[in-house]
Amino acid sequence: YGGPRIYTDYTEMLRAEKPDIVSICTWPHLHAPMTLAAAEGGVRAVHCEKPMAPTWGEARRMHETCSRLGVQLTFNHQRRFLEPFQLVRRMITEGRIGALRRLEAQCSDLLDWGTHWMDMLFFFNGETAAQWVIGQIDARKVHRIFGVPAEEQGLCHFKFVNGVHATLCTGFEMDLGCAIRVIGDAGTIEVGWGEPVVRIWSDGTTGWEVVPVSEGIHDEAAHGRVAADIVRCLDTGERPLLSSYHAVQSTEVIFATYESSRRRGRIDLPLSVDDAGLVTMIGEGTVAPASDS
């Protein structure tokens, strides 16, 4: 993209430029070392691409280090700023479907795409913490996304501390008929992959009602709003909408799903391991050929 000064060594850039804000757009294995170097080098705000990191230990250290040093850390779960998702959250809080009972979502994988939908499940449930996770993955055909192994098929079910349950299914032959489904005791809201983007079926109606929106679920308008919120919160001291305090909760559930598959049992949070169970199982040859490259 050009620019007046280009560096091939980010540590040299940090020393020479002493930036206030750093945006990290590299592959996931560099997210943790670059974030930690920026935070320890005096940067005031770090905005990092998703997913947080390839392992739970790295993700947790990024959040804990920036929190300790007073560095504003955000992750690019930019869909929080788009109209369809803002609208769905508002309909939930207004009681349009009664009390929230269950959340369902479907996508291609847990860590790369799934980090968006997992984040959205927490967003819709008011950032409530998760209590336990049970899940299973199949990785007989391991593929890598930006260098990080991903499962071919996965199933994650977890419970929030407020009693709401959520399920995220991924990959092979997983199709819920929509991207995200929100179920209350008086109705259902769906977010579609295409048209209609948002629809609702609630008590007193005889069928689905399409909710008009002017943006889609992939709209590029989100990125400018993200940048504006980062700068605004750096000035006001408020917690950004994409704060690591939110990202670390949803990321823990993803790695707990891998750990549940490894242990063949429920994982009660907080998650106590540092690695990524999927990566470890692949290395051991328990879920895919050990010769996987």
Side-chain angles (χ1 to χ4, degrees):
Y1 289 98
R5 293 181 299 283
I6 303 297
Y7 295 85
T8 58
D9 182 335
Y10 67 89
T11 59
E12 179 186 349
M13 182 274 292
L14 291 170
R15 286 193 302 269
E17 301 290 347
K18 295 180 172 52
D20 290 308
I21 301 174
V22 167
S23 174
I24 298 175
C25 305
T26 55
W27 281 22
H29 73 282
L30 290 170
H31 290 180
M34 287 183 165
T35 295
L36 296 175
E40 291 163 356
V43 173
R44 296 177 60 204
V46 176
H47 182 57
C48 186
E49 259 302 334
K50 57 82 190 168
M52 289 186 76
T55 69
W56 170 235
E58 290 174 296
R60 192 180 64 248
R61 281 192 293 275
M62 294 163 76
H63 169 69
E64 291 174 349
T65 299
C66 287
S67 298
R68 174 172 53 84
L69 296 176
V71 177
Q72 178 179 287
L73 176 61
T74 52
F75 290 89
N76 201 35
H77 293 128
Q78 78 277 7
R79 285 174 174 80
R80 284 173 173 243
F81 283 93
L82 290 177
E83 180 191 12
F85 303 105
Q86 291 274 343
L87 178 60
V88 171
R89 177 166 169 160
R90 188 162 62 250
M91 289 193 294
I92 295 169
T93 57
E94 289 173 351
R96 293 279 302 277
I97 56 170
L100 182 61
R101 299 298 185 200
R102 184 179 178 87
L103 295 155
E104 300 173 348
Q106 173 261 322
C107 61
S108 58
D109 61 85
L110 280 165
L111 187 63
D112 183 69
W113 180 272
T115 187
H116 280 299
W117 276 184
M118 193 68 75
D119 175 72
M120 202 51 58
L121 300 182
F122 279 81
F123 181 59
F124 288 161
N125 196 23
E127 321 298 353
T128 304
Q131 183 176 348
W132 54 256
V133 181
I134 190 164
Q136 183 60 277
I137 58 96
D138 184 280
R140 70 190 70 184
K141 295 180 181 178
V142 177
H143 60 286
R144 296 176 185 270
I145 304 174
F146 299 112
V148 181
E151 78 283 358
E152 184 190 24
Q153 184 176 11
L155 185 64
C156 165
H157 182 83
F158 64 101
K159 179 186 176 183
F160 294 96
V161 296
N162 65 356
V164 174
H165 284 248
T167 302
L168 174 62
C169 54
T170 68
F172 182 71
E173 293 188 354
M174 293 292 192
D175 184 6
L176 295 177
C178 61
I180 301 176
R181 181 175 293 122
V182 182
I183 302 169
D185 59 12
T188 299
I189 302 170
E190 288 187 350
V191 178
W193 289 108
E195 295 292 341
V197 178
V198 178
R199 64 179 186 170
I200 183 172
W201 191 333
S202 57
D203 280 357
T205 63
T206 58
W208 288 107
E209 173 191 346
V210 175
V211 182
V213 292
S214 59
E215 296 175 352
I217 66 172
H218 307 293
D219 205 296
E220 293 292 329
H223 297 295
R225 296 167 191 167
V226 169
D229 191 59
I230 288 169
V231 175
R232 182 184 65 82
C233 291
L234 197 56
D235 288 338
T236 65
E238 297 174 60
R239 182 171 291 178
L241 189 58
L242 305 189
S243 170
S244 64
Y245 282 88
H246 303 324
V248 78
Q249 287 197 127
S250 54
T251 298
E252 182 179 29
V253 172
I254 292 171
F255 285 109
T257 305
Y258 295 153
E259 189 62 17
S260 176
S261 185
R262 175 162 62 174
R263 296 188 200 177
R264 299 175 174 86
R266 187 186 72 225
I267 302 300
D268 297 317
L269 301 178
L271 181 60
S272 59
V273 301
D274 277 347
D275 66 345
L278 174 59
V279 176
T280 301
M281 288 188 288
I282 290 172
E284 295 169 347
T286 56
V287 296
S291 60
D292 167 65
S293 59

